[in-house]
């Protein structure tokens, strides 16, 4: 067969039943991405004779005799297609994994389709942007700005990889073909709890192409935690690479390595496993009860109470809540439940490992290659110099890649076989085996005087950590920030992180704060109505103010600084914005109107140790090389780091060459999570750039005989008094003397500051169907110094979109056996373009940050107040209080049908 792809002919024969996506990638067209393999996400969109199709559900043979166009054939960095240029200049992307498919779809739009983007883009998903930036790109709105030398900070400069992203040339983890590569697939447990009696590999090994089958007997028997933190002691070492006991449906049982994906999958089907089923428990309250099935051994030093399946307990109090409730005029108590939520980053987890010159190399989709290296060194008894871990561009993370869950098996097989090995998750494996947000059940009890002054604040948090404890303790501790937000002399917090026979929970944007924020902010709204107070006024009377201690789990000293009333300002500007907007109900009858607000505080770095090191070097080509270990997966740190360096070095971003996320080429970096990519790594970049600048100025001062205070670094020169000395001259002189203009600096996540957010919604609820439509969305945040305005706006919009999914559409359904019942994007329902409203962003000035140049990370905190603001708006519209998420039409309708009190209908 002959295929014409991007104007070039290929005489190739696709495999029987092969889809067009895998066929095109086998020909080297890596711009065609895998997001779902089910026709749900659109990341694989290509053209057949100019018509867009999802190549993952298009048989390869249908491309014979037609012209196939992929993103690589649409344009090149030097000659962009107009739609590629529009996506670059909007900018219409964050991680960029969906961008090729978005562009291939959008480039075919008629004017009528551009006017109806909810319908036109229904087949393309984005998890990062919130879609407003994509709309701007399609309509040609330019958001990228050009920075003058030394003036990059505060400017919406474009991402360094912008041209590569929009042309499909940006490499993600799987965008390579290593000669002789083997493929690894996994046998998953069908049982929630069982002991493996025996595993028969013989039939699997007989499959042509199968090279190895690994079971628990073939792997190092070393415990570890898949969670990533600098201090590994904050997470329990309760996990093995492969185990002889399975504790959730989907747990890895065996790994099959073969020459092809198909052979590996067939090998998995032929592995014969005999199980002894054990009793299982899925509810954390039941798991803590006497006589419940026990998941882990009593001799595990990392487990608080294995008999009662408790990983960790937190008990703290300030004052006396019993006295506080006696003093209260009004007491409110409610129990609020938050479900699992999947990250649904469009790039699935995956790693490629190989041995070269006696060293193990791992190319992976991780948020922290440095910590992944440490864990792999531990698991396989390797010295640090025997191992390299690195990332290319990562297709979304949101905390889901703050784990080591694909690297270990790929490394194991590469070390054993001596051949390169690829392990790539399917979308179903993402849902059934990767770590979702912790389900939490929180009981909140509040006491207040008649004037709204809080007298008692009590929270009981039961968190379902699942079968293993990765992030279980840290997320439980992080939830204390929901208690910190309000002043009260009497506080009590009881938290339990509990093992159950369900998929292990993990890190997700908001990290342990999103669920408590839903509970506390919903409870505050209910308390306000009991007191007949405006909900915002109740918050104003009780929020922490500058000078107040940020008291949550203890009243001892900490490293969090709170010097400005950012939260009060956020509440005020949202109140004003809500008052000045007038929204009409949707067409038709039966709509109920309401509004709701919620607030949150979030620390700008994690309480555990966070470290980053940056290197800056002036090259002979007068380009500054910036090396920093932080991974880029859409959070925008790469752009911010370049801007910071360019600003300190008096140059433009185009003269900064970025090297990142490679343990051979960069210093240690704890990872891009908890907003630390800007707050910590950004400080390291700032210090390294300043050190190089100072060295250049000192050298120039000595060369010219002018005092250093009279010297300044410009774009391509140093000005010393009235002398202009070209950098070329200084670099040549320095080289002749054996001097290099280079420096390395480290930064740490302490002291920390606080980010404040307030979210407001106006909504319409249909009294017959229970449908919610968002009429107006606004979020205020105390942004401090804004490094890149377009990126801050994009991060907040993306966070609000994820919060809307958490609140309204995303439903991780688990059946009676403990298995996920809807493991695909189509039925899980992350928000589409049509589901996400435009959000007005209001930036509040504050200057209490220890981030680089006084900046604060915005990517994480913005999700926290979204769900409670929607729940509060729902109650305002209908009188129905939903204390469990998601707020689906079915749940709302059932409550409306029960003749609960309704607000005025329009």
């Amino acid at each position: 067969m002959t295929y014409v792809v991007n104007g070039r002919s290929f005489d190739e024969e696709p495999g029987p039943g092969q889809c067009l996506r895998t066929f095109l990638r086998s020909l080297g067209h890596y711009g065609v991405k895998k997001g779902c393999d089910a026709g749900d996400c659109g990341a694989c969109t290509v053209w057949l004779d100019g018509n867009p199709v999802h190549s993952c559900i298009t048989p390869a043979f249908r491309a014979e005799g037609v012209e196939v166009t992929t993103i690589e054939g649409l344009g090149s960095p030097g000659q962009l297609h107009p739609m590629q240029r529009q996506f670059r200049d909007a900018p219409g992307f964050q991680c960029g994994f969906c961008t090729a498919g978005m562009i291939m779809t959008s480039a075919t739009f008629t004017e009528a389709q551009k006017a109806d983007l909810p319908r036109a883009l229904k087949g393309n998903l984005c998890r990062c942007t919130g879609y407003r930036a994509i709309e701007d790109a399609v309509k040609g709105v330019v958001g990228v700005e050009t920075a003058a030398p030394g003036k990059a900070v505060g400017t919406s400069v474009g991402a360094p990889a912008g041209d590569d992203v929009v042309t499909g040339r940006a490499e993600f983890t799987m965008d390579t073909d290593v000669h002789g590569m083997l493929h690894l697939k996994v046998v998953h447990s069908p049982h929630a709890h069982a002991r493996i009696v025996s595993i028969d590999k013989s039939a699997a090994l007989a499959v042509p192409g199968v090279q190895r089958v690994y079971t628990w007997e073939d792997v190092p028997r070393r415990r570890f935690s898949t969670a990533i933190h600098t201090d590994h002691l904050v997470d329990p070492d309760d996990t093995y690479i492969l185990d002889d006991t399975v504790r959730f449906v989907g747990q890895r049982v065996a790994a099959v390595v073969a020459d092809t994906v198909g052979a590996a999958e067939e090998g998995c089907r032929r592995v014969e496993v005999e199980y002894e089923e054990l009793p299982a428990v899925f509810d954390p309250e039941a798991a803590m009860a006497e006589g419940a099935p026990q998941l882990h051994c009593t001799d595990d030093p990392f487990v608080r109470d294995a008999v009662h399946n408790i990983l960790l307990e937190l008990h703290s109090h300030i004052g006396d809540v019993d006295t506080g409730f006696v003093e209260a005029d009004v007491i409110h108590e409610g129990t609020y439940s938050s479900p699992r939520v999947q990250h649904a980053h469009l790039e699935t987890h995956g790693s490629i490992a190989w041995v070269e010159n006696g060293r193990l190399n791992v190319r992976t989709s991780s948020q922290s290659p440095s910590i992944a290296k440490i864990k792999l060194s531990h698991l396989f008894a390797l010295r640090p110099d025997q191992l390299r871990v690195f990332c290319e561009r990562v297709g979304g993370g949101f905390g889901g890649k703050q784990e080591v869950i694909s690297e270990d098996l790929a490394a194991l097989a590469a070390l054993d076989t001596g051949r390169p090995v690829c392990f790539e998750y399917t979308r179903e494996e993402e849902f059934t085996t990767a770590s979702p947000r912790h389900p939490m059940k929180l009981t909140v009890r509040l006491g207040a005087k008649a004037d709204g002054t809080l007298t008692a604040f009590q929270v009981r948090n039961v968190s379902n950590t699942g079968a293993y404890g990765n992030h279980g303790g840290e997320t439980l501790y992080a939830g204390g920030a929901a208690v910190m937000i309000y002043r009260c002399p009497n506080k009590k917090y009881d938290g339990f992180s509990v093992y159950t026979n369900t998929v292990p929970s993990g890190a997700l944007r908001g990290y342990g704060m999103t669920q408590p924020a839903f509970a506390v902010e919903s409870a505050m709204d209910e308390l306000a109505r009991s007191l007949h107070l405006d909900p915002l006024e109740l918050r104003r009377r009780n929020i922490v103010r500058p000078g107040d201690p940020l008291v949550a789990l203890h009243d001892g000293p900490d490293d969090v600084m709170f010097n400005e009333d950012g939260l009060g300002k956020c509440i005020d500007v949202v109140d004003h914005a809500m008052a000045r907007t007038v929204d009409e109900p949707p067409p038709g009858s039966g709509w109920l109107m309401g509004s709701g607000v919620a607030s949150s505080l979030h620390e700008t770095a994690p309480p555990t140790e966070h470290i980053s090191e940056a290197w800056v070097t002036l090259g002979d080509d007068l380009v500054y090389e910036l090396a920093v270990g932080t991974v880029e997966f859409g959070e925008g740190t790469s752009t911010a780091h370049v801007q910071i360096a360019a600003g300190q070095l008096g140059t433009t971003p185009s003269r900064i060459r970025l090297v990142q996320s490679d343990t051979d080429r960069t210093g240690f970096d704890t990872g891009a999570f908890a907003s630390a990519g800007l707050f910590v790594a950004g400080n390291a970049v700032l210090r390294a750039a300043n050190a190089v600048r100072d060295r250049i100025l000192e050298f120039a001062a000595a060369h010219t005989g002018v005092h250093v205070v009279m010297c300044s670094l410009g774009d391509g020169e140093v000005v010393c008094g009235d002398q202009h000395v070209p950098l070329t001259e200084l670099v040549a002189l320095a080289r002749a003397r054996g001097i290099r203009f280079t420096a390395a600096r480290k930064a740490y996540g302490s002291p920390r500051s606080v980010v404040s957010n307030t979210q407001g919604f106006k909504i319409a609820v249909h009294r017959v169907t229970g449908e919610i439509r968002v009429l107006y969305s606004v979020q205020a945040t105390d942004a401090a110094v804004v490094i890149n305005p377009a990126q801050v706006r994009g991060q907040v919009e993306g966070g609000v979109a994820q919060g809307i999914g958490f609140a309204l559409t995303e439903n991780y359904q688990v059946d009676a056996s403990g298995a996920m019942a809807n493991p695909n994007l189509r039925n899980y329902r992350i928000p589409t373009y049509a589901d996400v409203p435009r959000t007005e962003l209001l930036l509040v000035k504050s200057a209490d940050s220890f981030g680089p140049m006084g900046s604060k990370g915005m990517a994480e905190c913005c999700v926290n107040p979204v769900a409670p603001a929607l729940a509060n708006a729902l109650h305002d519209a209908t009188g129905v209080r939903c204390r469990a998420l998601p707020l689906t039409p079915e749940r709302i309708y059932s409550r409306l049908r029960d003749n609960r009190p309704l607000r005025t209908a329009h």
Side-chain angles (χ1 to χ4, degrees):
M1 293 183 175
T2 300
Y3 293 84
V4 179
V5 183
N6 299 330
R8 180 183 170 191
S9 295
F10 293 86
D11 292 323
E12 300 286 345
E13 185 78 22
Q18 185 173 19
C19 73
L20 183 57
R21 181 190 70 80
T22 59
F23 181 61
L24 290 171
R25 287 180 64 84
S26 73
L27 298 177
H29 300 288
Y30 296 118
V32 185
K33 304 300 185 194
K34 183 199 88 168
C36 64
D37 275 342
D40 295 335
C41 74
C44 66
T45 303
V46 301
W47 292 353
L48 296 185
D49 282 343
N51 298 308
V53 300
H54 290 183
S55 60
C56 70
I57 55 172
T58 301
F61 72 82
R62 290 189 181 173
E64 185 183 18
V66 301
E67 176 71 28
V68 180
T69 306
T70 72
I71 190 69
E72 295 95 337
L74 197 63
S76 62
Q79 192 172 4
L80 297 177
H81 182 279
M83 190 56 68
Q84 290 173 314
R85 184 170 58 253
Q86 289 170 210
F87 266 78
R88 181 197 64 186
D89 294 346
F93 64 90
Q94 286 182 22
C95 82
F97 197 80
C98 73
T99 304
M102 285 284 183
I103 291 173
M104 295 304 292
T105 299
S106 303
T108 66
F109 285 168
T110 64
E111 290 304 314
Q113 288 174 305
K114 290 180 182 179
D116 189 11
L117 289 180
R119 178 178 294 275
L121 283 174
K122 66 181 181 180
N124 290 79
L125 297 177
C126 175
R127 191 57 157 167
C128 296
T129 64
Y131 297 101
R132 189 273 314 161
I134 291 170
E135 177 183 333
D136 282 355
V138 173
K139 295 184 176 180
V141 177
V142 175
V144 167
E145 301 171 327
T146 301
K151 305 294 183 182
V153 170
T155 306
S156 295
V157 301
D163 280 356
D164 288 337
V165 168
V166 301
T167 57
R169 287 163 172 78
E171 282 196 18
F172 292 82
T173 309
M174 294 298 158
D175 295 342
T176 187
D177 182 20
V178 182
H179 178 70
M181 187 162 67
L182 299 171
H183 298 270
L184 185 148
K185 292 305 229 180
V186 168
V187 178
H188 298 284
S189 169
H191 304 296
H193 199 192
R195 185 174 294 107
I196 295 173
V197 177
S198 66
I199 302 179
D200 187 347
K201 310 176 185 178
S202 57
L205 289 168
V207 174
V210 169
Q211 302 293 329
R212 298 285 194 281
V213 178
Y214 301 109
T215 72
W216 69 274
E217 297 176 299
D218 305 307
V219 302
R221 196 68 175 168
R222 291 190 178 92
R223 285 179 174 177
F224 74 112
S225 172
T226 62
I228 282 176
H229 292 103
T230 300
D231 182 0
H232 71 93
L233 295 178
V234 302
D235 305 304
D237 287 342
D238 58 5
T239 305
Y240 292 105
I241 297 174
L242 294 170
D243 203 350
D244 60 344
T245 300
V246 292
R247 297 176 174 87
F248 69 97
V249 174
Q251 181 166 332
R252 304 187 312 198
V253 172
V256 177
V257 180
D259 295 335
T260 65
V261 172
E265 290 175 338
E266 181 59 25
C268 287
R269 286 188 284 269
R270 298 195 186 188
V271 173
E272 297 180 8
V273 185
E274 181 183 353
Y275 299 94
E276 176 193 349
E277 287 194 63
L278 301 172
V281 60
F282 307 121
D283 178 74
E285 295 280 9
M288 289 191 290
E290 292 293 335
Q294 184 178 318
L295 273 71
H296 292 275
C297 297
T298 55
D299 63 351
D300 190 332
F302 295 97
V303 178
R304 170 69 176 84
D305 181 356
V307 172
H308 297 96
N309 296 304
I310 298 173
L311 166 65
L312 179 71
E313 291 182 44
L314 289 175
H315 301 287
S316 64
H317 71 277
I318 296 101
D320 186 336
V321 292
D322 291 335
T323 299
F325 286 119
V326 170
E327 296 172 349
D329 294 316
V330 174
I331 296 174
H332 165 75
E333 181 173 341
T335 298
Y336 305 85
S337 300
S338 301
R340 289 177 182 82
V341 177
Q342 233 290 326
H343 309 79
H345 36 68
L346 290 191
E347 180 201 40
T348 60
H349 285 83
S351 299
I352 300 172
W354 68 94
V355 177
E356 184 177 355
N357 298 323
R359 297 182 76 225
L360 175 65
N361 294 263
V362 181
R363 169 175 169 148
T364 185
S365 59
S366 172
Q367 290 178 227
S368 177
S370 293
I371 305 295
K373 175 178 176 176
I374 291 172
K375 289 186 179 288
L376 292 175
S377 296
H378 160 69
L379 287 172
F380 301 107
L382 297 173
R383 299 190 313 271
D385 64 310
Q386 293 177 300
L387 176 60
R388 172 199 181 199
V389 179
F390 69 101
C391 301
E392 300 295 344
R393 195 173 183 90
V394 174
F398 315 113
K401 294 170 181 175
Q402 195 186 336
E403 307 270 355
V404 173
I405 56 176
S406 64
E407 296 86 351
D408 54 346
L409 282 178
L412 168 77
L415 289 168
D416 178 46
T417 65
R419 291 174 62 179
V421 177
C422 170
F423 177 27
E424 182 179 18
Y425 272 44
T426 65
R427 178 56 57 186
E428 181 172 343
E429 286 173 322
E430 284 292 328
F431 279 113
T432 58
T433 69
S435 302
R437 174 175 282 145
H438 291 74
M440 291 184 182
K441 184 173 73 173
L442 293 106
T443 299
V444 180
R445 193 170 186 231
L446 303 173
K449 293 287 191 181
D451 65 358
T453 303
L454 290 176
T455 61
F457 194 157
Q458 184 172 3
V459 175
R460 181 178 188 268
N461 184 358
V462 179
S463 174
N464 187 343
T465 195
Y468 297 94
N470 43 307
H471 298 284
E474 287 297 280
T475 51
L476 189 70
Y477 184 89
V483 181
M484 179 175 68
I485 189 172
Y486 296 112
R487 286 179 286 118
C488 184
N490 307 297
K491 293 183 178 182
K492 191 172 190 294
Y493 181 88
D494 296 291
F496 304 85
S497 182
V498 186
Y499 287 115
T500 64
N501 292 112
T502 58
V503 60
S505 304
L508 205 161
R509 194 179 205 164
Y511 199 76
M513 251 296 293
T514 315
Q515 309 93 313
F518 167 66
V520 168
E521 290 299 290
S522 296
M524 284 292 287
D525 201 78
E526 293 192 67
L527 178 63
R529 297 183 186 280
S530 297
L531 291 165
H532 306 290
L533 283 176
D534 175 81
L536 279 178
E537 183 57 31
L538 179 65
R539 288 170 171 82
R540 286 190 182 98
R541 295 182 185 184
N542 289 285
I543 57 172
V544 288
R545 299 286 187 178
D548 290 341
L550 293 174
V551 176
L553 302 183
H554 60 84
D555 57 1
D558 59 34
D559 63 345
V560 180
M561 306 299 291
F562 179 64
N563 302 319
E564 290 203 13
D565 188 16
L567 181 55
K569 294 175 183 176
C570 288
I571 290 172
D572 289 344
V573 298
V574 166
D575 192 12
H576 177 73
M578 297 280 280
R580 65 172 159 76
T581 58
V582 178
D583 293 285
E584 296 296 324
S589 61
W591 292 100
L592 310 169
M593 307 282 281
S595 61
V597 294
S599 296
S600 70
L601 287 181
H602 201 286
E603 295 157 350
T604 53
T608 51
E609 187 176 23
H610 206 103
I611 308 168
S612 185
E613 183 175 10
W615 307 337
V616 175
T617 302
L618 177 60
D620 293 344
D621 57 358
L622 302 188
V623 172
Y624 295 93
E625 182 173 279
L626 168 61
V628 60
T630 306
V631 178
E632 176 60 58
F633 55 93
E635 79 282 23
T637 53
S638 295
T639 313
H641 291 166
V642 167
Q643 288 180 260
I644 292 167
Q648 300 309 109
L649 295 166
T651 188
T652 60
S654 62
R655 287 192 51 217
I656 306 293
R657 179 171 53 244
L658 184 63
V659 176
Q660 60 188 144
S661 55
D662 186 332
T663 60
D664 269 11
R665 302 180 64 195
T666 61
F668 181 88
D669 186 273
T670 295
F673 54 86
S675 297
L678 176 69
F679 192 80
V680 182
N683 267 329
V685 170
L686 178 74
R687 294 168 187 174
N690 284 343
V692 168
R693 179 199 61 199
D694 292 347
R695 289 187 181 186
I696 294 171
L697 293 179
E698 290 166 2
F699 186 88
H703 173 63
T704 61
V706 176
H707 196 282
V708 69
V709 298
M710 301 297 292
C711 300
S712 61
L713 180 59
D715 193 30
E717 66 175 9
V718 176
V719 180
C720 296
D722 57 0
Q723 301 179 56
H724 291 250
V725 186
L727 275 179
T728 50
E729 179 181 332
L730 293 174
V731 169
L733 286 170
R735 188 195 311 156
R737 301 178 191 177
I739 297 172
R740 296 177 65 212
F741 297 128
T742 185
R745 292 292 184 271
K746 294 178 182 177
Y748 302 86
S750 181
R752 299 174 291 151
S753 49
V754 174
V755 179
S756 306
N757 301 77
T758 297
Q759 173 72 41
F761 283 110
K762 290 187 176 183
I763 67 170
V765 185
H766 200 275
R767 63 187 306 166
V768 175
T769 66
E771 176 190 359
I772 291 178
R773 291 193 188 178
V774 177
L775 306 176
Y776 177 60
S777 171
V778 59
Q779 184 168 130
T781 182
D782 64 325
V785 174
V786 175
I787 303 294
N788 188 304
Q791 286 195 166
V792 168
R793 183 183 179 191
Q795 290 299 322
V796 172
E797 290 171 336
V800 172
Q802 279 196 316
I804 288 172
F806 172 51
L808 300 184
T809 65
E810 298 179 41
N811 197 356
Y812 194 109
Q813 299 176 10
V814 178
D815 65 20
S817 70
M820 188 188 186
N822 56 327
N824 54 69
L825 292 172
R826 185 168 304 182
N827 294 324
Y828 177 73
R829 284 280 287 118
I830 70 171
T832 67
Y833 180 99
D835 297 317
V836 181
R838 302 292 84 92
T839 292
E840 181 179 1
L841 172 61
L842 304 174
L843 298 179
V844 170
K845 295 293 185 181
S846 64
D848 61 346
S849 177
F850 298 95
M853 308 177 77
S855 62
K856 296 182 180 182
M858 294 287 109
E860 183 150 18
C861 51
C862 47
V863 72
N864 293 331
V866 175
L870 280 168
N872 293 340
L874 171 64
H875 182 268
D876 186 56
T878 66
V880 168
R881 172 59 64 177
C882 288
R883 294 176 177 168
L885 298 175
L887 308 174
T888 59
E890 295 85 356
R891 286 181 174 176
I892 297 169
Y893 167 74
S894 65
R895 297 288 300 280
L896 292 172
R897 184 189 57 199
D898 293 339
N899 298 317
R900 298 298 174 96
L902 302 179
R903 307 298 255 184
T904 303
H906 293 262

